[in-house]
Amino acid sequence: MNQEYEMVIGLEVHCELKTQSKIFCACPTSFGAQPNTHCCPVCLGMPGALPSLNREAVRLAARAGIALNCEIHTHSQMDRKNYFYPDMPKAYQITQFTYPLCTCGWLEIEGEDGKKRIGITRIHIEEDAGKMIHTPHGSLIDYNRCGVPLIEIVSEPDLRSAQEAKAYVQKLRSILTAAGVSDCKMQEGSLRVDVNLSVRKKGDLSLGVRTEMKNLNSVQFMGKAIEFEAQRQVGVLESGAAVFQETRRYNEETGRTEIMRRKEEAEDYRYFPDPDLQVVYLSREEIEQIAGEMPQLPDERLCYYQEKYGLPAQDAGLLSQNLSVSRCFEQAACHSKYPKIAANILIANWLPFFDFSGEEEFPQLWEQLSSLADLFGDARLNSGTVKNLAVRIWKTGEDPKTIAQRENLWQIQDEAALLPIIQNVLAECPRAVQDYHCGRQQALGPLMGQVIRRTSGRADPQIVRRLLIEILARNGEKENLGG
Amino acid sequence: MSLTKLSMAELAVLLRSRQISAVETAAEYFDKIEKEDGKIGAYLTVTKEIALRQAEAIDQKRAAGEELPPFAGVPAAVKDNICVAGVRMTCASKILENFVAPYDAAAVERLRQNGIILLGKTNLDEFAMGSTTENSAFQITRNPRAVEYVPGGSSGGSAAAVAAETAVFALGSDTGGSVRLPASHCGVVGLKPTYGAVSRWGLTAFASSLDQVGILARTVEDTGAVLQMIVGPDSRDATSCEQARGLFVADIPPQKKWKIALPQELLGAQISDNVREAVARAAHVLESYGAQVEWIRMPSLRYALSTYYIISSAEASSNLARFDGVRYGRRAQGYTDMNSLYEKSRSEGFGREVKRRLLLGAFVLSAGYQERYYRNALRVRERIRTEWQEVFTKYDAVLSPVSPDTAAKIGARDPDPVKQYKGDLCTVPVNLAGLPAVSVPFGKGENEMPVGVQIVGNVFSEQSLLQIAALLEREALI
């Protein structure tokens, strides 16, 4: 993008709450059921059906607010947002408009110049709509998702790049999953992002005209959509034209954003308080109780790993941001004598295979990990073997002890067994021995390599090294004496 | 004497002592409906099969010596905006002409638990919007006291069925007077309970903050007994109240000297002489029982009608948006896209009065007008509520007319909707404050049509209201 410009981005993130039942009826919320099987008169908007608020949804929303440093209001209100669309059988969505449950929060991301705090304007509770499926023979509607509880998290326009927006969504996901508020699975639609974006000349204090991009369902596409749209807006401004306030959609195939509707076409939702529902009340005690039940959040875990296991900040950071990674590490750490080794094995050998922005859970191989750490810590396996085993275990989930036993991978520490091998190597590599005696310490490396290779990688490198040095020193003395 | 002449209390005695069976009772009612409902038009749907099955089951249980609820076997009717599982529910609208309710309303569940036999569904003004039952998309209902007159509305079918003795009692709904007004015009008792006393689950919403299921019955005693059956909290209705318990037996002798208020605003020049005289006589009767009756002022009631029409229409515009032809109900032919499906289905499906209120409601909620109309109406509503509360710190009940006049002739209503709305002057303030009120027959007007008087009480004072109503009922009979 043109270096004179900067982006101003605010995000609206919709996130499904992890309740058993829907927000206004007892229908289940589980994903993937046969279409239109999780429905009742309430979520189908039958005449005479009435909503009754699922308190668990309110508690989870409050928990999200607490995790995001928001003020939680004891009194909030459900409103009706009126519009016609076939996926909304009542022709209104029950949401919170005037008095949301949470306001004034923030979260911290790793920005381009260090830590950056992103403001959260509000979090409100609402119900999800059904899903339209368009076929050549007409449109079909699945109402299973109708009435699934959502929170909408609205950020301040504090983000300045696609990178920051991506970091924000990642951080949000990591906090909300850790807090047990949501699964945040973008592929299943349990987390969806709307982007509000404008551009301005750097140094300008006023905001440019913004466009809104709706329903981005992957972090990658969101990043691309932001890059494209910012580029487009700069192009428009540079050509002397004006950006219009409008709603756009991102076309994943063309990589471009397309207009959906102009501001003038925007609907009047005629918000008003839903007369079927009482004011949502959470007492101060309840809010405190919810805060007290909060599971450990990523940044708290980071500090905890540093303190408890003595991990460096960067390692603690890698292990704390994804709940399933943390779970695997913590289990291994508390079952192993060597938590720090477990951390190193996991970070060095497994994390490179794990996609943090994806939706797959990190495999819970903690038993294997703790055993591997112990075998290494107790010098039963050497580091090369551990590396090999770690990669194999990632693929197969096998038990390290079983493999080591079967394939006889145990480390050789018996000096009597190692001495003849070392003698042979020294005899066969006069050149390296010569170099060593001339003062080139690094000649030790190839010699060690040879010894370890001849033990199929099983020789304990520490012992090999010590023995090599001892023998070479003795041989050197002999030579000196002899000469 | 014909079976259909008996009150619920009288009929229940015969049923309990097995002098008649539930099947015989139901059969006699269906005979009468077949013979006479043709000229009254109270029923939209008659549920003979369901009723006879219910009645047989009750007779069998009774024969087997099972303990049954006290009114088991009594037949009743239900307004056609209240769900009965498996039975068509039209709300007197073309848009729901072929809609079959998939579940029972809470009040209907309670009636079933009490062994009440469901005779059928009664006519109403479309979606309960109106006060003559002439806004039904299907048929006119005639006043059984004189068939050239309207029965009042919107629960006109329920009131007519009770008055014509084609139902022992009937459920109605009251958003701005829809139970009390037809009760007054047809000469039966009508009760609008406290908001939240009866669950709204299964009552098709017109204006959710005002709607309440009500009762039309022949006597005050029956009214109390039906209230006893249907009252009570319900977790499916977030606005239903925990306090809604207790006994509603009306024939307890009054233990106290009532303090009764007469608001001048509800007895002004708009009220016909017939009606004003009836209220004055009612006041005298109560005084003769030792009550202290005083005139009061309730200035905020001047704004009650406009407040009511803004709030009720606003809520209706949202509540009736679900009738869009997508998931159920009438879908128009020949639509070209999504919006034309909505437009055509709703244009064809809704009648004139409903459309008028939906437009009005959408307008008062729209951006730029909401503050001036809807939000202001909410503020005035609070003032009206406060004023009622002040009255009830000094008085036990408020006595007033139900309607400014007796029933009008069919087709004779003023074409100006605002003039029609003025007929709701005395009833809507009650709904705005969520109060209970009863309409009790008290004499006749010049045209020999019945006049009812209204007694309003504080929230959950149904017990007192029914006691006062019982005094007037006895006096009217003498």
Side-chain angles (χ1 to χ4, degrees):
Chain A
M1 195 172 86
N2 188 324
Q3 287 305 302
E4 288 172 44
Y5 286 87
E6 68 171 356
M7 309 180 194
V8 177
I9 303 167
L11 298 183
E12 290 167 20
V13 176
H14 287 90
C15 167
E16 280 183 1
L17 296 174
K18 224 161 106 179
T19 54
Q20 294 292 307
S21 54
K22 292 185 179 181
I23 183 164
F24 298 122
C25 60
C27 292
T29 52
S30 43
F31 179 80
Q34 281 290 308
N36 297 309
T37 54
H38 290 173
C39 301
C40 73
V42 176
C43 48
L44 291 177
M46 288 289 179
L50 294 169
S52 47
L53 182 62
N54 180 347
R55 293 289 293 181
E56 185 57 20
V58 180
R59 280 191 286 268
L60 285 181
R63 199 196 274 184
I66 295 164
L68 295 169
N69 309 297
C70 289
E71 187 179 330
I72 314 299
H73 299 281
T74 51
H75 295 77
S76 62
Q77 179 184 286
M78 306 308 299
D79 294 294
R80 290 187 186 179
K81 177 181 182 179
N82 296 284
Y83 65 95
F84 286 101
Y85 204 72
D87 65 7
M88 188 55 83
K90 300 190 300 299
Y92 59 82
Q93 180 193 30
I94 305 178
T95 179
Q96 296 192 305
F97 183 65
T98 318
Y99 300 105
L101 179 67
C102 321
T103 54
C104 297
W106 53 265
L107 65 72
E108 205 165 58
I109 58 166
E110 289 295 332
E112 273 136 52
D113 326 300
K115 286 195 189 308
K116 182 171 174 184
R117 201 175 260 206
I118 308 299
I120 288 168
T121 318
R122 56 186 277 156
I123 303 176
H124 63 255
I125 312 169
E126 60 187 28
E127 58 178 335
D128 209 344
K131 208 156 84 189
M132 295 269 282
I133 300 140
H134 302 283
T135 76
H137 315 290
S139 297
L140 305 169
I141 313 169
D142 177 4
Y143 290 109
N144 282 353
R145 209 178 62 186
C146 240
V148 168
L150 292 179
I151 45 174
E152 181 175 335
I153 304 161
V154 182
S155 86
E156 292 288 311
D158 289 346
L159 301 158
R160 291 290 173 272
S161 67
Q163 208 44 50
E164 285 189 357
K166 281 154 84 171
Y168 171 85
V169 174
Q170 298 286 23
K171 191 61 183 278
L172 207 52
R173 282 179 58 188
S174 116
I175 292 173
L176 296 176
T177 359
V181 166
S182 170
D183 291 329
C184 294
K185 289 187 178 159
M186 294 187 86
Q187 279 158 12
E188 292 181 6
S190 72
L191 189 124
R192 308 190 287 271
V193 183
D194 299 346
V195 177
N196 286 298
L197 185 151
S198 63
V199 296
R200 65 180 174 195
K201 284 257 171 72
K202 280 181 186 158
D204 269 6
L205 289 178
S206 59
L207 291 170
V209 175
R210 69 187 157 90
T211 62
E212 185 180 14
M213 289 180 283
K214 287 250 179 222
N215 268 332
L216 294 155
N217 56 9
S218 93
V219 176
Q220 252 49 12
F221 283 133
M222 180 193 72
K224 288 181 183 165
I226 290 174
E227 297 288 1
F228 177 87
E229 178 60 14
Q231 208 58 270
R232 186 192 70 85
Q233 290 188 12
V234 170
V236 169
L237 294 176
E238 282 295 297
S239 74
V243 172
F244 290 109
Q245 191 176 339
E246 58 198 14
T247 304
R248 301 180 70 85
R249 85 164 67 78
Y250 179 67
N251 184 327
E252 293 169 11
E253 277 153 37
T254 62
R256 305 167 67 86
T257 64
E258 301 158 351
I259 183 157
M260 276 171 77
R261 57 171 180 267
R262 284 263 156 90
K263 191 200 174 195
E264 308 81 76
E265 299 159 26
E267 273 186 81
D268 176 0
Y269 292 119
R270 290 177 280 120
Y271 288 100
F272 75 104
D274 190 332
D276 285 329
L277 291 160
Q278 307 281 7
V279 163
V280 182
Y281 176 70
L282 272 181
S283 67
R284 284 275 155 232
E285 294 73 48
E286 267 177 289
I287 295 171
E288 266 164 43
Q289 192 200 346
I290 294 165
E293 289 162 359
M294 179 77 69
Q296 211 176 32
L297 297 175
D299 286 354
E300 290 172 72
R301 278 205 301 266
L302 191 153
C303 295
Y304 174 73
Y305 293 170
Q306 282 180 285
E307 279 166 28
K308 166 122 193 199
Y309 303 117
L311 299 183
Q314 189 169 349
D315 289 1
L318 285 167
L319 293 173
S320 61
Q321 296 308 306
N322 180 290
L323 186 60
S324 57
V325 171
S326 301
R327 213 179 294 135
C328 180
F329 166 66
E330 279 175 32
Q331 284 294 325
C334 72
H335 286 88
S336 164
K337 289 181 273 176
Y338 308 100
K340 212 168 166 177
I341 294 175
N344 285 328
I345 295 174
L346 192 159
I347 293 170
N349 300 295
W350 289 352
L351 280 192
F353 295 112
F354 181 67
D355 176 10
F356 275 94
S357 65
E359 320 229 301
E360 293 288 311
E361 291 261 305
F362 190 83
Q364 294 303 300
L365 299 165
W366 56 268
E367 276 173 287
Q368 293 87 327
L369 179 60
S370 65
S371 146
L372 206 50
D374 285 355
L375 292 172
F376 181 72
D378 292 341
R380 301 287 318 278
L381 296 176
N382 72 22
S383 60
T385 311
V386 167
K387 260 191 174 331
N388 285 332
L389 283 184
V391 173
R392 284 173 63 181
I393 290 165
W394 176 262
K395 289 178 187 145
T396 63
E398 278 175 285
D399 173 48
K401 251 186 216 152
T402 316
I403 311 178
Q405 194 63 42
R406 191 177 59 219
E407 300 180 8
N408 191 22
L409 303 176
W410 302 120
Q411 178 159 266
I412 304 170
Q413 292 179 296
D414 180 358
E415 297 185 15
L418 290 173
L419 270 174
I421 301 169
I422 292 173
Q423 297 293 4
N424 282 343
V425 169
L426 290 179
E428 286 165 32
C429 305
R431 194 65 203 260
V433 174
Q434 189 75 38
D435 285 352
Y436 182 79
H437 286 310
C438 294
R440 284 206 211 120
Q441 294 284 321
Q442 62 266 42
L444 210 54
L447 291 170
M448 278 183 69
Q450 277 298 324
V451 176
I452 288 171
R453 213 164 298 135
R454 284 174 199 209
T455 57
S456 314
R458 294 164 53 212
D460 182 331
Q462 300 299 325
I463 296 176
V464 172
R465 191 184 160 84
R466 182 168 51 77
L467 290 176
L468 268 173
I469 292 169
E470 280 173 18
I471 295 167
L472 283 166
R474 238 180 292 140
N475 290 354
E477 272 166 36
K478 263 184 229 161
E479 263 170 47
N480 287 342
L481 286 174
Chain B
M1 188 164 141
S2 161
L3 215 54
T4 57
K5 292 231 173 294
L6 303 176
S7 73
M8 179 165 84
E10 293 162 339
L11 184 58
V13 172
L14 298 184
L15 284 162
R16 281 196 295 265
S17 58
R18 294 174 67 183
Q19 294 175 56
I20 47 159
S21 72
V23 171
E24 284 165 344
T25 311
E28 191 146 338
Y29 267 92
F30 284 116
D31 277 351
K32 184 148 194 201
I33 291 169
E34 261 161 54
K35 273 191 217 117
E36 293 180 17
D37 197 53
K39 66 172 191 282
I40 301 297
Y43 283 91
L44 286 174
T45 305
V46 174
T47 52
K48 195 167 178 177
E49 262 178 55
I50 297 176
L52 291 177
R53 262 204 314 272
Q54 271 183 293
E56 267 167 37
I58 282 168
D59 286 340
Q60 275 166 18
K61 283 183 190 168
R62 191 163 267 143
E66 253 184 69
E67 180 103 16
L68 288 174
F71 298 100
V74 169
V78 175
K79 188 178 181 178
D80 204 25
N81 61 350
I82 298 173
C83 291
V84 177
V87 176
R88 190 173 76 124
M89 178 179 71
T90 66
C91 296
S93 178
K94 278 195 275 184
I95 211 156
L96 289 179
E97 191 163 4
N98 298 307
F99 177 77
V100 174
Y103 67 102
D104 270 339
V108 171
E109 283 175 0
R110 296 289 186 91
L111 292 187
R112 284 192 202 267
Q113 287 158 10
N114 279 280
I116 300 300
I117 311 295
L118 304 172
L119 294 167
K121 305 295 292 291
T122 56
N123 198 19
L124 62 150
D125 287 298
E126 185 178 3
F127 286 106
M129 295 176 186
S131 41
T132 62
T133 313
E134 289 169 294
N135 291 335
S136 166
F138 303 117
Q139 67 193 35
I140 294 280
T141 296
R142 293 172 178 278
N143 192 319
R145 307 292 176 198
V147 292
E148 66 274 27
Y149 287 88
V150 299
S154 68
S155 312
S158 287
V162 174
E165 295 165 357
T166 52
V168 179
F169 70 89
L171 294 186
S173 68
D174 191 316
T175 307
S178 281
V179 160
R180 291 158 285 158
L181 184 74
S184 170
H185 285 354
C186 292
V188 300
V189 180
L191 174 74
K192 183 243 161 226
T194 307
Y195 184 78
V198 180
S199 169
R200 292 185 294 119
W201 173 257
L203 165 65
T204 308
F206 159 14
S208 316
S209 73
L210 301 156
D211 293 342
Q212 184 62 190
V213 173
I215 300 155
L216 296 114
R218 300 195 199 159
T219 66
V220 173
E221 183 189 4
D222 285 1
T223 307
V226 177
L227 180 63
Q228 188 71 53
M229 294 182 212
I230 63 174
V231 82
D234 179 2
S235 61
R236 294 165 299 185
D237 175 0
T239 60
S240 89
C241 289
E242 212 36 60
Q243 304 103 292
R245 300 183 191 275
L247 283 164
F248 299 101
V249 184
D251 60 345
I252 304 169
Q255 289 129 5
K256 57 181 282 190
K257 305 291 177 203
W258 305 104
K259 281 194 80 178
I260 310 272
L262 285 172
Q264 286 182 4
E265 286 75 8
L266 301 184
L267 284 150
Q270 326 87 309
I271 309 298
S272 72
D273 292 344
N274 286 323
V275 173
R276 220 193 320 249
E277 278 161 24
V279 174
R281 270 188 290 122
H284 282 304
V285 167
L286 295 177
E287 278 173 333
S288 74
Y289 279 99
Q292 192 183 332
V293 182
E294 286 171 8
W295 284 97
I296 56 161
R297 305 287 325 238
M298 293 184 71
S300 70
L301 295 193
R302 276 168 42 213
Y303 307 104
L305 273 176
S306 28
T307 303
Y308 170 80
Y309 274 93
I310 289 171
I311 292 174
S312 66
S313 304
E315 292 182 15
S317 74
S318 176
N319 282 330
L320 270 62
R322 67 186 63 195
F323 306 115
D324 57 8
V326 174
R327 176 69 184 73
Y328 56 82
R330 182 193 182 94
R331 182 186 292 188
Q333 299 293 305
Y335 56 88
T336 51
D337 61 7
M338 200 179 76
N339 280 328
S340 85
L341 183 155
Y342 290 139
E343 270 173 39
K344 278 175 167 280
S345 303
R346 289 169 66 82
S347 299
E348 291 175 11
F350 289 133
R352 240 180 114 69
E353 180 59 25
V354 171
K355 283 179 191 163
R356 189 192 332 272
R357 300 205 198 188
L358 297 186
L359 289 175
L360 175 64
F363 170 73
V364 299
L365 285 176
S366 61
Y369 297 96
Q370 178 167 136
E371 181 59 30
R372 205 181 318 164
Y373 293 104
Y374 178 71
R375 298 282 161 182
N376 262 337
L378 291 186
R379 288 179 200 112
V380 177
R381 181 180 189 171
E382 278 318 301
R383 238 171 90 177
I384 292 171
R385 214 193 283 270
T386 314
E387 209 163 276
W388 278 111
Q389 286 316 311
E390 280 163 14
V391 170
F392 292 121
T393 58
K394 297 193 203 96
Y395 299 93
D396 299 302
V398 167
L399 179 66
S400 84
V402 178
S403 166
D405 209 342
T406 53
K409 287 205 165 149
I410 288 168
R413 63 182 165 159
D414 199 306
D416 177 352
V418 176
K419 286 191 181 137
Q420 289 174 31
Y421 298 165
K422 284 185 175 164
D424 303 335
L425 171 75
C426 303
T427 47
V428 295
V430 171
N431 300 72
L432 286 171
L435 303 171
V438 62
S439 165
V440 61
F442 203 71
K444 289 194 169 152
E446 277 164 15
N447 53 8
E448 286 303 302
M449 294 306 285
V451 179
V453 295
Q454 172 172 259
I455 308 145
V456 186
N458 204 348
V459 289
F460 300 110
S461 69
E462 280 86 342
Q463 176 80 48
S464 308
L465 295 188
L466 291 173
Q467 287 181 13
I468 297 168
L471 297 179
L472 296 179
E473 180 185 50
R474 186 178 312 143
E475 203 61 28
L477 288 175
I478 296 168

